[in-house]
Amino acid sequence: MSDTTHFGYQTVAEEEKVHKVAEVFHSVAQKYDVMNDLMSGGLHRIWKTFTIAQAGVRPGFKVLDIAGGTGDLAKAFARQAGSTGEVWLTDINESMLRVGRDRLLNKGLAIPTLLCDAEKLPFPGNYFDRVSVAFGLRNMTHKDAALKEMQRVLKPGGKLLVLEFSKVWEPLQKPYDTYSFSVLPWLGKRIANDAESYRYLAESIRMHPDQETLKRMMQEAGLDRVQYHNLTAGVAALHTGIKF
Ligand SMILES: C[S@@+](CC[C@H](N)C(=O)[O-])C[C@H]1O[C@@H](n2cnc3c(N)ncnc32)[C@H](O)[C@@H]1O
């Protein structure tokens, strides 16, 4: 019998989760950016700006953006790394990656894009100065394996940045739940004609490891000096760690 895992609140076979996550992102790809702005009231831009600042990418850096989707982080990193740098936009989902690649090309940025699974990265070890994953880890089946891969491809001294939804400050829990389970699926239905994917979003956030648990997972994956910053009262958190 195959192993089981979570897809939102459902318990499913591991292979089924991969297919279901793929369906979600094929379905939302075209409306992904507009939905992000609407759902977060633009806050995701501030969280990403903070992440980009913490990454401190300099000219010539090699950077891997995992689960990069429509390319917000890769776009900023490519500008900072410049012509001597190497920035990769990668994702497991072709629809998301295509939107990202076209978006970057429209901004005059031709960077390598690659379809790949974070759990089996097709890159050599000790290669990247920075590895980032924004709102992607939550969707991965074997988060521990993915984190180990991220650690493997980093150079010694390199930094991993994990931006993800997290555990919100307790007093805000109730209104946040109401918003997540009522407004998000409603918006999803109205804008992307897909309430289910946005119900999955709300559920997957609840099932994701909280700040301290993710910190421990990153340490177990071999990262050092792991720390996190809560963003908007813990709606999201940025975890960083260094490979020694
Ligand atoms: C919510 S989107 C985030 C996109 C982008 N990073 C951002 O912050 O806007 C999550 C992305 O994770 C990708 N993803 C899910 N599982 C993955 C895996 N195992 N390996 C790589 N990417 C994965 C999805 O295809 C999707 O594009």
Side-chain angles (χ1 to χ4, degrees):
M1 219 181 88
S2 63
D3 290 332
T4 57
T5 185
H6 292 292
F7 174 77
Y9 288 166
Q10 299 172 45
T11 301
V12 298
E14 288 185 345
E15 313 82 70
E16 198 185 342
K17 170 163 176 159
V18 176
H19 289 297
K20 281 176 165 289
V21 169
E23 274 171 23
V24 165
F25 290 104
H26 284 310
S27 165
V28 304
Q30 292 300 328
K31 297 283 184 191
Y32 178 81
D33 289 325
V34 68
M35 277 299 290
N36 264 0
D37 279 336
L38 283 173
M39 286 184 312
S40 72
L43 278 173
H44 77 106
R45 291 172 183 262
I46 296 172
W47 302 334
K48 285 173 180 161
T49 301
F50 181 72
T51 304
I52 291 158
Q54 291 293 317
V57 171
R58 294 199 295 274
F61 268 24
K62 293 191 172 80
V63 185
L64 173 63
D65 187 29
I66 294 175
T70 59
D72 280 345
L73 292 187
K75 183 176 66 180
F77 293 150
R79 287 185 174 140
Q80 292 169 330
S83 57
T84 55
E86 187 181 316
V87 177
W88 288 77
L89 171 63
T90 68
D91 200 287
I92 201 171
N93 189 287
E94 209 180 327
S95 307
M96 291 291 284
L97 201 57
R98 192 173 296 132
V99 174
R101 184 203 53 197
D102 291 351
R103 211 171 143 226
L104 266 59
L105 282 174
N106 286 340
K107 301 267 176 201
L109 291 166
I111 67 168
T113 55
L114 186 74
L115 199 65
C116 69
D117 184 348
E119 297 181 20
K120 291 174 225 108
L121 291 173
F123 294 100
N126 304 320
Y127 190 76
F128 291 101
D129 298 285
R130 298 288 182 268
V131 173
S132 59
V133 55
F135 305 110
L137 188 65
R138 197 183 66 248
N139 302 292
M140 294 171 195
T141 308
H142 305 103
K143 296 173 185 48
D144 47 352
L147 289 169
K148 276 194 186 123
E149 276 293 86
M150 296 175 201
Q151 193 268 1
R152 179 183 67 78
V153 300
L154 270 174
K155 282 178 189 169
K159 189 179 201 179
L160 172 64
L161 301 109
V162 182
L163 176 62
E164 190 50 273
F165 292 108
S166 204
K167 187 147 176 55
V168 77
W169 185 46
E170 200 63 44
L172 292 184
Q173 193 69 60
K174 266 224 160 85
Y176 182 58
D177 280 351
T178 308
Y179 175 78
S180 307
F181 289 102
S182 312
V183 180
L184 290 189
W186 179 83
L187 264 179
K189 177 82 193 138
R190 293 292 298 261
I191 308 295
N193 195 26
D194 181 355
E196 273 314 302
S197 292
Y198 288 91
R199 197 161 292 121
Y200 162 70
L201 168 66
E203 291 181 3
S204 66
I205 292 171
R206 297 328 184 266
M207 299 305 286
H208 190 64
D210 65 15
Q211 287 87 335
E212 283 296 324
T213 310
L214 180 54
K215 180 178 173 179
R216 271 198 304 280
M217 288 168 70
M218 287 175 65
Q219 287 166 335
E220 280 160 19
L223 289 144
D224 250 289
R225 283 167 47 194
V226 179
Q227 50 178 314
Y228 62 83
H229 304 264
N230 281 317
L231 303 166
T232 319
V235 171
L238 173 67
H239 284 68
T240 60
I242 308 286
K243 172 169 174 176
F244 279 116

